[in-house]
Amino acid sequence: MKIENLIGSVGGDLKDELVEELLHRSRRKIDRALKRIRRPEAAVGIVKSPLGDLLVATSARGVALAHYLHDDSDLTVTIAKLRSDFDPVDDQRAVAEVGNEVRRYLAGDLEALRQNIDLTLVGHSFQKRVLGKLQAVPRGAVISYQALAAASGAPNGARAVGNALHSNPVPIYVPCHRVISSDGRIGGYGGGVARKIQLLRSEGFDLDNSQGRIPDNIVWGHKGTKIYCRRSCRTTAHVDRTRIFFFADPKQARRAGMRPCKICRPG
Amino acid sequence: MAHKKLHVPLPFETIMQRHEREIMRYLLRVLSDPEDAADLFQETWLRAYRAYPRLEPESDVRPWLYATASNLCRNRARDGARRSRVIVLDTEESTAANAIGRHHGSLHENEGYAAVHIREMISVLPTKQRQALHLRYFAGLDYAEMATAMDCTEESARANVSQAMKKLKARW
C-alpha cells in the first residue's frame, strides 16, 4: 500500500454522525460566545448626492458614516476602517434614504437630515467632544476653529480641532462645514473646499467660489451677551473671538435668540 | 465616479456555514481526541471572528481559516508537550510504542495498525513539516493555499511536504 494512501486513511473513516454531532454541540457554544464579542451590524452602500458619491453606513443607532468618495482605493480603506467597529452588510436600500435627505437638505428643506447619528467611528474623546459641541451650531451660522476649540475645552487647540474635523466620519450630518477660520477665510474641508462652499451656500451664505472668504454682510453674535453686530461695528476690535458665531444674515441671528447691537444697528 | 463597485466582505455567518464541516473534519484528523477537536473548533471560529476585519477583502478565506486552525493545533501540541513533560517524560516526540498505547480514543477504533503507526510517525516530524503534511493530506489544500496558510512561499510549502514524505518513506 502506498504511503500517501495510508496518510489519507489516518483518523479512520470519519463518521458523518460524529461530525454532525460535534458541529451541533459546538455551534451553540460558539453562538453564545460570539454574542459577547459581536460587532454591531451596519448597512453599507454607495449613494449618489448633489455633493458627489457618498459611502454611507447606517447602524441601528443612526448614520455612522457618510464618506465623500474620491477613488477606489479610498473605498477599500474606508471599508477596512469601518470593519473594525461594525460588521458591514451590503444593503443599498437601507442607506438610499441618506442620499434623499442630503438632496432635500441642499434644496432647502430644514428638517431633511435625520437626527440619529452614531458616533461609534469617532475614535478619540477630544474628537467626540468637538463633534458634540459642533452639533449645537445651527444652520445658517458658522463658528471659527478657535471658538470651537475654546468651547471644547482647548482654547489653544484650533489646529487640533481642524484635525478632529478632518476625520469626521459623518460630515453634513455633523456640520463640520460650518467651521471657518477666525479671520473670515473659508478654511479647508475633508471633502474639498468646493463642497464646503456648496453646503454653506445652501444654508444661506452668499459665497463666491473665487473669494474663499465669508461675505462682509454677515453678522457676528456673542454667545454670552446674545447681541449681534455688523463686522464693521467698532466693538468687533475687542470682542472675545472664542465666544462668537457668524450668521449668514440678521434673520438667522434673531432666530438664534439674539438682539441687534444698538451701536452698529445691523437691522 | 459613477461606476464604483462596492466590495463588502461576506458576512461571517456565511463563511462559517461554508467551511465549518471541513474545518471540523480537519481538526478531527489532526487531533486524536474529538473533545480536543470540538474545543479547538470553537477557538478557531472565535479567533477568526476577531481577526476577520483584518483579513483583506479580496484574499481567500479558506487557507486563512486553515492557518488559524492549524496554528491552534500547533499551540495545543506545544502546550501539551510542556504539560506532559512535567508528569512523564512523554512528549510529542515519544516513541511509536508508547503512542499506540496512548491512542485509544474513539476515533481510532476503526484505524488499522498501519494508520496508527503512520500517525505516530507524523507526530515526530518537525512542526513545519507536520503542519505541511496535515494541510496537504488532511485538508487537501493546494500549494498556493498552503503558502498563504503557512505564511511562506509555495516552494517552501512543497519542500516541507516532500521532506516529510521522504522521512516517512525512509522509516516505513
Side-chain angles (χ1 to χ4, degrees), chain A residues 192-224:
Chain A
V193 180
R195 289 198 177 102
K196 188 172 188 172
I197 291 175
Q198 196 178 346
L199 276 161
L200 286 175
R201 264 205 205 131
S202 81
E203 297 183 352
F205 285 92
D206 183 18
L207 284 171
D208 184 349
N209 279 3
S210 56
Q211 280 173 322
R213 299 183 69 85
I214 48 171
D216 289 332
N217 61 0
I218 65 160
V219 295
W220 58 262
H222 195 276
K223 260 201 266 183

PDB file of all heavy atoms in Angstrom, chain A residues 192-224:
ATOM      1  N   GLY A 192     -13.117  68.536   0.311  1.00  0.00           N
ATOM      2  CA  GLY A 192     -12.761  69.559  -0.688  1.00  0.00           C
ATOM      3  C   GLY A 192     -13.554  70.837  -0.442  1.00  0.00           C
ATOM      4  O   GLY A 192     -14.736  70.791  -0.096  1.00  0.00           O
ATOM      5  N   VAL A 193     -12.873  71.971  -0.628  1.00  0.00           N
ATOM      6  CA  VAL A 193     -13.499  73.258  -0.288  1.00  0.00           C
ATOM      7  C   VAL A 193     -14.742  73.527  -1.145  1.00  0.00           C
ATOM      8  O   VAL A 193     -15.705  74.143  -0.678  1.00  0.00           O
ATOM      9  CB  VAL A 193     -12.479  74.412  -0.450  1.00  0.00           C
ATOM     10  CG1 VAL A 193     -13.115  75.736  -0.098  1.00  0.00           C
ATOM     11  CG2 VAL A 193     -11.290  74.172   0.459  1.00  0.00           C
ATOM     12  N   ALA A 194     -14.745  73.017  -2.378  1.00  0.00           N
ATOM     13  CA  ALA A 194     -15.901  73.257  -3.247  1.00  0.00           C
ATOM     14  C   ALA A 194     -17.190  72.753  -2.590  1.00  0.00           C
ATOM     15  O   ALA A 194     -18.228  73.410  -2.634  1.00  0.00           O
ATOM     16  CB  ALA A 194     -15.690  72.572  -4.592  1.00  0.00           C
ATOM     17  N   ARG A 195     -17.104  71.598  -1.964  1.00  0.00           N
ATOM     18  CA  ARG A 195     -18.286  71.046  -1.303  1.00  0.00           C
ATOM     19  C   ARG A 195     -18.694  71.899  -0.107  1.00  0.00           C
ATOM     20  O   ARG A 195     -19.871  72.091   0.183  1.00  0.00           O
ATOM     21  CB  ARG A 195     -18.017  69.615  -0.843  1.00  0.00           C
ATOM     22  CG  ARG A 195     -17.927  68.620  -1.981  1.00  0.00           C
ATOM     23  CD  ARG A 195     -18.113  67.212  -1.424  1.00  0.00           C
ATOM     24  NE  ARG A 195     -18.101  66.216  -2.486  1.00  0.00           N
ATOM     25  CZ  ARG A 195     -17.057  65.447  -2.776  1.00  0.00           C
ATOM     26  NH1 ARG A 195     -15.930  65.576  -2.098  1.00  0.00           N
ATOM     27  NH2 ARG A 195     -17.130  64.547  -3.727  1.00  0.00           N
ATOM     28  N   LYS A 196     -17.694  72.407   0.601  1.00  0.00           N
ATOM     29  CA  LYS A 196     -17.979  73.242   1.767  1.00  0.00           C
ATOM     30  C   LYS A 196     -18.753  74.488   1.324  1.00  0.00           C
ATOM     31  O   LYS A 196     -19.756  74.860   1.931  1.00  0.00           O
ATOM     32  CB  LYS A 196     -16.657  73.662   2.427  1.00  0.00           C
ATOM     33  CG  LYS A 196     -16.807  74.370   3.753  1.00  0.00           C
ATOM     34  CD  LYS A 196     -15.441  74.552   4.398  1.00  0.00           C
ATOM     35  CE  LYS A 196     -15.542  75.073   5.818  1.00  0.00           C
ATOM     36  NZ  LYS A 196     -14.235  75.069   6.496  1.00  0.00           N
ATOM     37  N   ILE A 197     -18.283  75.086   0.223  1.00  0.00           N
ATOM     38  CA  ILE A 197     -18.943  76.283  -0.293  1.00  0.00           C
ATOM     39  C   ILE A 197     -20.373  75.958  -0.729  1.00  0.00           C
ATOM     40  O   ILE A 197     -21.317  76.679  -0.409  1.00  0.00           O
ATOM     41  CB  ILE A 197     -18.119  76.875  -1.462  1.00  0.00           C
ATOM     42  CG1 ILE A 197     -16.819  77.452  -0.900  1.00  0.00           C
ATOM     43  CG2 ILE A 197     -18.908  77.928  -2.210  1.00  0.00           C
ATOM     44  CD1 ILE A 197     -15.852  77.955  -1.935  1.00  0.00           C
ATOM     45  N   GLN A 198     -20.501  74.807  -1.402  1.00  0.00           N
ATOM     46  CA  GLN A 198     -21.830  74.391  -1.853  1.00  0.00           C
ATOM     47  C   GLN A 198     -22.792  74.238  -0.673  1.00  0.00           C
ATOM     48  O   GLN A 198     -23.939  74.687  -0.718  1.00  0.00           O
ATOM     49  CB  GLN A 198     -21.691  73.060  -2.598  1.00  0.00           C
ATOM     50  CG  GLN A 198     -22.883  72.687  -3.451  1.00  0.00           C
ATOM     51  CD  GLN A 198     -22.646  71.372  -4.187  1.00  0.00           C
ATOM     52  OE1 GLN A 198     -21.518  70.884  -4.266  1.00  0.00           O
ATOM     53  NE2 GLN A 198     -23.706  70.810  -4.733  1.00  0.00           N
ATOM     54  N   LEU A 199     -22.298  73.619   0.402  1.00  0.00           N
ATOM     55  CA  LEU A 199     -23.137  73.416   1.580  1.00  0.00           C
ATOM     56  C   LEU A 199     -23.484  74.744   2.240  1.00  0.00           C
ATOM     57  O   LEU A 199     -24.645  74.994   2.591  1.00  0.00           O
ATOM     58  CB  LEU A 199     -22.411  72.505   2.584  1.00  0.00           C
ATOM     59  CG  LEU A 199     -22.545  71.013   2.322  1.00  0.00           C
ATOM     60  CD1 LEU A 199     -21.449  70.246   3.049  1.00  0.00           C
ATOM     61  CD2 LEU A 199     -23.914  70.520   2.773  1.00  0.00           C
ATOM     62  N   LEU A 200     -22.478  75.618   2.400  1.00  0.00           N
ATOM     63  CA  LEU A 200     -22.727  76.889   3.080  1.00  0.00           C
ATOM     64  C   LEU A 200     -23.680  77.762   2.267  1.00  0.00           C
ATOM     65  O   LEU A 200     -24.527  78.457   2.820  1.00  0.00           O
ATOM     66  CB  LEU A 200     -21.401  77.624   3.323  1.00  0.00           C
ATOM     67  CG  LEU A 200     -20.549  77.035   4.445  1.00  0.00           C
ATOM     68  CD1 LEU A 200     -19.199  77.731   4.537  1.00  0.00           C
ATOM     69  CD2 LEU A 200     -21.273  77.119   5.789  1.00  0.00           C
ATOM     70  N   ARG A 201     -23.547  77.689   0.951  1.00  0.00           N
ATOM     71  CA  ARG A 201     -24.466  78.445   0.094  1.00  0.00           C
ATOM     72  C   ARG A 201     -25.889  78.004   0.317  1.00  0.00           C
ATOM     73  O   ARG A 201     -26.803  78.810   0.422  1.00  0.00           O
ATOM     74  CB  ARG A 201     -24.114  78.200  -1.367  1.00  0.00           C
ATOM     75  CG  ARG A 201     -23.242  79.284  -1.911  1.00  0.00           C
ATOM     76  CD  ARG A 201     -23.435  79.341  -3.401  1.00  0.00           C
ATOM     77  NE  ARG A 201     -22.250  79.902  -3.988  1.00  0.00           N
ATOM     78  CZ  ARG A 201     -21.601  79.387  -4.999  1.00  0.00           C
ATOM     79  NH1 ARG A 201     -22.044  78.283  -5.570  1.00  0.00           N
ATOM     80  NH2 ARG A 201     -20.536  79.957  -5.451  1.00  0.00           N
ATOM     81  N   SER A 202     -26.066  76.683   0.387  1.00  0.00           N
ATOM     82  CA  SER A 202     -27.425  76.168   0.564  1.00  0.00           C
ATOM     83  C   SER A 202     -27.979  76.580   1.923  1.00  0.00           C
ATOM     84  O   SER A 202     -29.178  76.549   2.142  1.00  0.00           O
ATOM     85  CB  SER A 202     -27.435  74.648   0.428  1.00  0.00           C
ATOM     86  OG  SER A 202     -27.011  74.067   1.639  1.00  0.00           O
ATOM     87  N   GLU A 203     -27.094  76.965   2.839  1.00  0.00           N
ATOM     88  CA  GLU A 203     -27.562  77.365   4.165  1.00  0.00           C
ATOM     89  C   GLU A 203     -27.734  78.872   4.263  1.00  0.00           C
ATOM     90  O   GLU A 203     -27.961  79.413   5.346  1.00  0.00           O
ATOM     91  CB  GLU A 203     -26.575  76.853   5.225  1.00  0.00           C
ATOM     92  CG  GLU A 203     -26.515  75.335   5.228  1.00  0.00           C
ATOM     93  CD  GLU A 203     -25.620  74.763   6.311  1.00  0.00           C
ATOM     94  OE1 GLU A 203     -24.913  75.539   6.982  1.00  0.00           O
ATOM     95  OE2 GLU A 203     -25.651  73.544   6.480  1.00  0.00           O
ATOM     96  N   GLY A 204     -27.577  79.569   3.157  1.00  0.00           N
ATOM     97  CA  GLY A 204     -27.904  80.986   3.137  1.00  0.00           C
ATOM     98  C   GLY A 204     -26.713  81.932   3.074  1.00  0.00           C
ATOM     99  O   GLY A 204     -26.890  83.145   3.102  1.00  0.00           O
ATOM    100  N   PHE A 205     -25.491  81.403   2.992  1.00  0.00           N
ATOM    101  CA  PHE A 205     -24.343  82.296   2.893  1.00  0.00           C
ATOM    102  C   PHE A 205     -24.129  82.690   1.436  1.00  0.00           C
ATOM    103  O   PHE A 205     -24.150  81.843   0.553  1.00  0.00           O
ATOM    104  CB  PHE A 205     -23.079  81.624   3.444  1.00  0.00           C
ATOM    105  CG  PHE A 205     -23.066  81.553   4.938  1.00  0.00           C
ATOM    106  CD1 PHE A 205     -23.568  80.432   5.587  1.00  0.00           C
ATOM    107  CD2 PHE A 205     -22.594  82.610   5.693  1.00  0.00           C
ATOM    108  CE1 PHE A 205     -23.582  80.374   6.967  1.00  0.00           C
ATOM    109  CE2 PHE A 205     -22.607  82.551   7.073  1.00  0.00           C
ATOM    110  CZ  PHE A 205     -23.104  81.434   7.712  1.00  0.00           C
ATOM    111  N   ASP A 206     -23.908  83.964   1.243  1.00  0.00           N
ATOM    112  CA  ASP A 206     -23.748  84.481  -0.104  1.00  0.00           C
ATOM    113  C   ASP A 206     -22.269  84.380  -0.482  1.00  0.00           C
ATOM    114  O   ASP A 206     -21.523  85.351  -0.345  1.00  0.00           O
ATOM    115  CB  ASP A 206     -24.248  85.929  -0.126  1.00  0.00           C
ATOM    116  CG  ASP A 206     -24.189  86.502  -1.519  1.00  0.00           C
ATOM    117  OD1 ASP A 206     -24.103  85.700  -2.467  1.00  0.00           O
ATOM    118  OD2 ASP A 206     -24.212  87.737  -1.633  1.00  0.00           O
ATOM    119  N   LEU A 207     -21.879  83.195  -0.937  1.00  0.00           N
ATOM    120  CA  LEU A 207     -20.449  82.955  -1.150  1.00  0.00           C
ATOM    121  C   LEU A 207     -20.089  82.923  -2.624  1.00  0.00           C
ATOM    122  O   LEU A 207     -20.839  82.432  -3.458  1.00  0.00           O
ATOM    123  CB  LEU A 207     -20.054  81.601  -0.549  1.00  0.00           C
ATOM    124  CG  LEU A 207     -19.915  81.544   0.957  1.00  0.00           C
ATOM    125  CD1 LEU A 207     -19.751  80.103   1.384  1.00  0.00           C
ATOM    126  CD2 LEU A 207     -18.724  82.354   1.416  1.00  0.00           C
ATOM    127  N   ASP A 208     -18.901  83.425  -2.881  1.00  0.00           N
ATOM    128  CA  ASP A 208     -18.364  83.393  -4.236  1.00  0.00           C
ATOM    129  C   ASP A 208     -17.178  82.434  -4.210  1.00  0.00           C
ATOM    130  O   ASP A 208     -16.322  82.534  -3.343  1.00  0.00           O
ATOM    131  CB  ASP A 208     -17.932  84.822  -4.600  1.00  0.00           C
ATOM    132  CG  ASP A 208     -17.455  84.905  -6.027  1.00  0.00           C
ATOM    133  OD1 ASP A 208     -17.271  83.837  -6.642  1.00  0.00           O
ATOM    134  OD2 ASP A 208     -17.266  86.022  -6.503  1.00  0.00           O
ATOM    135  N   ASN A 209     -17.149  81.494  -5.143  1.00  0.00           N
ATOM    136  CA  ASN A 209     -16.078  80.496  -5.153  1.00  0.00           C
ATOM    137  C   ASN A 209     -14.684  81.106  -5.150  1.00  0.00           C
ATOM    138  O   ASN A 209     -13.760  80.603  -4.547  1.00  0.00           O
ATOM    139  CB  ASN A 209     -16.193  79.604  -6.381  1.00  0.00           C
ATOM    140  CG  ASN A 209     -17.217  78.523  -6.149  1.00  0.00           C
ATOM    141  OD1 ASN A 209     -17.855  78.514  -5.098  1.00  0.00           O
ATOM    142  ND2 ASN A 209     -17.390  77.644  -7.114  1.00  0.00           N
ATOM    143  N   SER A 210     -14.530  82.217  -5.876  1.00  0.00           N
ATOM    144  CA  SER A 210     -13.194  82.757  -6.073  1.00  0.00           C
ATOM    145  C   SER A 210     -12.638  83.421  -4.812  1.00  0.00           C
ATOM    146  O   SER A 210     -11.442  83.391  -4.566  1.00  0.00           O
ATOM    147  CB  SER A 210     -13.213  83.757  -7.219  1.00  0.00           C
ATOM    148  OG  SER A 210     -14.182  84.745  -6.942  1.00  0.00           O
ATOM    149  N   GLN A 211     -13.530  84.007  -4.019  1.00  0.00           N
ATOM    150  CA  GLN A 211     -13.057  84.759  -2.852  1.00  0.00           C
ATOM    151  C   GLN A 211     -12.388  83.896  -1.792  1.00  0.00           C
ATOM    152  O   GLN A 211     -11.336  84.227  -1.281  1.00  0.00           O
ATOM    153  CB  GLN A 211     -14.233  85.450  -2.175  1.00  0.00           C
ATOM    154  CG  GLN A 211     -14.663  86.727  -2.828  1.00  0.00           C
ATOM    155  CD  GLN A 211     -15.925  87.231  -2.174  1.00  0.00           C
ATOM    156  OE1 GLN A 211     -16.803  86.443  -1.816  1.00  0.00           O
ATOM    157  NE2 GLN A 211     -16.010  88.535  -1.996  1.00  0.00           N
ATOM    158  N   GLY A 212     -13.057  82.797  -1.454  1.00  0.00           N
ATOM    159  CA  GLY A 212     -12.551  81.973  -0.375  1.00  0.00           C
ATOM    160  C   GLY A 212     -12.733  82.630   0.990  1.00  0.00           C
ATOM    161  O   GLY A 212     -12.052  82.287   1.955  1.00  0.00           O
ATOM    162  N   ARG A 213     -13.623  83.622   1.062  1.00  0.00           N
ATOM    163  CA  ARG A 213     -13.911  84.287   2.343  1.00  0.00           C
ATOM    164  C   ARG A 213     -15.409  84.355   2.539  1.00  0.00           C
ATOM    165  O   ARG A 213     -16.161  84.334   1.573  1.00  0.00           O
ATOM    166  CB  ARG A 213     -13.364  85.720   2.333  1.00  0.00           C
ATOM    167  CG  ARG A 213     -11.876  85.848   2.160  1.00  0.00           C
ATOM    168  CD  ARG A 213     -11.482  87.297   2.254  1.00  0.00           C
ATOM    169  NE  ARG A 213     -11.654  87.820   3.600  1.00  0.00           N
ATOM    170  CZ  ARG A 213     -10.742  87.696   4.562  1.00  0.00           C
ATOM    171  NH1 ARG A 213      -9.603  87.078   4.305  1.00  0.00           N
ATOM    172  NH2 ARG A 213     -10.947  88.185   5.759  1.00  0.00           N
ATOM    173  N   ILE A 214     -15.823  84.428   3.805  1.00  0.00           N
ATOM    174  CA  ILE A 214     -17.248  84.651   4.014  1.00  0.00           C
ATOM    175  C   ILE A 214     -17.532  86.124   3.718  1.00  0.00           C
ATOM    176  O   ILE A 214     -16.678  86.982   3.930  1.00  0.00           O
ATOM    177  CB  ILE A 214     -17.699  84.278   5.446  1.00  0.00           C
ATOM    178  CG1 ILE A 214     -16.758  84.887   6.482  1.00  0.00           C
ATOM    179  CG2 ILE A 214     -17.793  82.789   5.601  1.00  0.00           C
ATOM    180  CD1 ILE A 214     -17.255  84.730   7.882  1.00  0.00           C
ATOM    181  N   PRO A 215     -18.728  86.437   3.201  1.00  0.00           N
ATOM    182  CA  PRO A 215     -19.001  87.812   2.744  1.00  0.00           C
ATOM    183  C   PRO A 215     -19.032  88.815   3.892  1.00  0.00           C
ATOM    184  O   PRO A 215     -19.153  88.441   5.062  1.00  0.00           O
ATOM    185  CB  PRO A 215     -20.374  87.690   2.082  1.00  0.00           C
ATOM    186  CG  PRO A 215     -20.979  86.475   2.670  1.00  0.00           C
ATOM    187  CD  PRO A 215     -19.867  85.538   2.990  1.00  0.00           C
ATOM    188  N   ASP A 216     -18.917  90.088   3.567  1.00  0.00           N
ATOM    189  CA  ASP A 216     -18.862  91.131   4.588  1.00  0.00           C
ATOM    190  C   ASP A 216     -20.222  91.439   5.206  1.00  0.00           C
ATOM    191  O   ASP A 216     -20.297  92.001   6.295  1.00  0.00           O
ATOM    192  CB  ASP A 216     -18.288  92.423   3.974  1.00  0.00           C
ATOM    193  CG  ASP A 216     -16.798  92.259   3.683  1.00  0.00           C
ATOM    194  OD1 ASP A 216     -16.157  91.466   4.401  1.00  0.00           O
ATOM    195  OD2 ASP A 216     -16.308  92.893   2.741  1.00  0.00           O
ATOM    196  N   ASN A 217     -21.291  91.073   4.494  1.00  0.00           N
ATOM    197  CA  ASN A 217     -22.607  91.426   5.021  1.00  0.00           C
ATOM    198  C   ASN A 217     -23.103  90.482   6.123  1.00  0.00           C
ATOM    199  O   ASN A 217     -24.230  90.604   6.585  1.00  0.00           O
ATOM    200  CB  ASN A 217     -23.629  91.516   3.890  1.00  0.00           C
ATOM    201  CG  ASN A 217     -23.772  90.183   3.170  1.00  0.00           C
ATOM    202  OD1 ASN A 217     -23.103  89.209   3.517  1.00  0.00           O
ATOM    203  ND2 ASN A 217     -24.637  90.147   2.169  1.00  0.00           N
ATOM    204  N   ILE A 218     -22.262  89.527   6.516  1.00  0.00           N
ATOM    205  CA  ILE A 218     -22.706  88.652   7.607  1.00  0.00           C
ATOM    206  C   ILE A 218     -22.566  89.376   8.947  1.00  0.00           C
ATOM    207  O   ILE A 218     -21.898  90.403   9.048  1.00  0.00           O
ATOM    208  CB  ILE A 218     -21.904  87.341   7.662  1.00  0.00           C
ATOM    209  CG1 ILE A 218     -20.437  87.631   7.994  1.00  0.00           C
ATOM    210  CG2 ILE A 218     -22.016  86.558   6.378  1.00  0.00           C
ATOM    211  CD1 ILE A 218     -19.738  86.416   8.524  1.00  0.00           C
ATOM    212  N   VAL A 219     -23.229  88.844   9.958  1.00  0.00           N
ATOM    213  CA  VAL A 219     -23.121  89.454  11.286  1.00  0.00           C
ATOM    214  C   VAL A 219     -22.523  88.430  12.242  1.00  0.00           C
ATOM    215  O   VAL A 219     -22.608  87.228  12.015  1.00  0.00           O
ATOM    216  CB  VAL A 219     -24.500  89.896  11.821  1.00  0.00           C
ATOM    217  CG1 VAL A 219     -25.060  91.010  10.944  1.00  0.00           C
ATOM    218  CG2 VAL A 219     -25.458  88.725  11.906  1.00  0.00           C
ATOM    219  N   TRP A 220     -21.934  88.927  13.288  1.00  0.00           N
ATOM    220  CA  TRP A 220     -21.480  88.000  14.313  1.00  0.00           C
ATOM    221  C   TRP A 220     -22.299  88.225  15.586  1.00  0.00           C
ATOM    222  O   TRP A 220     -22.757  89.339  15.868  1.00  0.00           O
ATOM    223  CB  TRP A 220     -19.987  88.118  14.572  1.00  0.00           C
ATOM    224  CG  TRP A 220     -19.455  89.475  14.991  1.00  0.00           C
ATOM    225  CD1 TRP A 220     -18.875  90.402  14.195  1.00  0.00           C
ATOM    226  CD2 TRP A 220     -19.470  90.049  16.301  1.00  0.00           C
ATOM    227  NE1 TRP A 220     -18.520  91.512  14.898  1.00  0.00           N
ATOM    228  CE2 TRP A 220     -18.870  91.322  16.207  1.00  0.00           C
ATOM    229  CE3 TRP A 220     -19.928  89.598  17.553  1.00  0.00           C
ATOM    230  CZ2 TRP A 220     -18.716  92.181  17.304  1.00  0.00           C
ATOM    231  CZ3 TRP A 220     -19.764  90.453  18.654  1.00  0.00           C
ATOM    232  CH2 TRP A 220     -19.161  91.732  18.515  1.00  0.00           C
ATOM    233  N   GLY A 221     -22.495  87.139  16.317  1.00  0.00           N
ATOM    234  CA  GLY A 221     -23.264  87.240  17.549  1.00  0.00           C
ATOM    235  C   GLY A 221     -22.459  86.700  18.708  1.00  0.00           C
ATOM    236  O   GLY A 221     -21.695  85.739  18.545  1.00  0.00           O
ATOM    237  N   HIS A 222     -22.617  87.333  19.867  1.00  0.00           N
ATOM    238  CA  HIS A 222     -21.860  86.896  21.038  1.00  0.00           C
ATOM    239  C   HIS A 222     -22.685  85.895  21.840  1.00  0.00           C
ATOM    240  O   HIS A 222     -23.861  86.126  22.116  1.00  0.00           O
ATOM    241  CB  HIS A 222     -21.505  88.112  21.905  1.00  0.00           C
ATOM    242  CG  HIS A 222     -20.445  87.806  22.917  1.00  0.00           C
ATOM    243  ND1 HIS A 222     -20.723  87.234  24.123  1.00  0.00           N
ATOM    244  CD2 HIS A 222     -19.103  87.978  22.882  1.00  0.00           C
ATOM    245  CE1 HIS A 222     -19.594  87.081  24.804  1.00  0.00           C
ATOM    246  NE2 HIS A 222     -18.598  87.526  24.059  1.00  0.00           N
ATOM    247  N   LYS A 223     -22.028  84.798  22.193  1.00  0.00           N
ATOM    248  CA  LYS A 223     -22.722  83.734  22.911  1.00  0.00           C
ATOM    249  C   LYS A 223     -23.226  84.208  24.260  1.00  0.00           C
ATOM    250  O   LYS A 223     -24.289  83.810  24.726  1.00  0.00           O
ATOM    251  CB  LYS A 223     -21.760  82.564  23.147  1.00  0.00           C
ATOM    252  CG  LYS A 223     -21.926  81.430  22.176  1.00  0.00           C
ATOM    253  CD  LYS A 223     -21.350  80.164  22.760  1.00  0.00           C
ATOM    254  CE  LYS A 223     -19.918  79.970  22.317  1.00  0.00           C
ATOM    255  NZ  LYS A 223     -19.318  78.722  22.793  1.00  0.00           N
ATOM    256  N   GLY A 224     -22.449  85.055  24.946  1.00  0.00           N
ATOM    257  CA  GLY A 224     -22.782  85.477  26.304  1.00  0.00           C
ATOM    258  C   GLY A 224     -23.803  86.602  26.309  1.00  0.00           C
ATOM    259  O   GLY A 224     -24.853  86.488  26.951  1.00  0.00           O
TER     260      GLY A 224
END
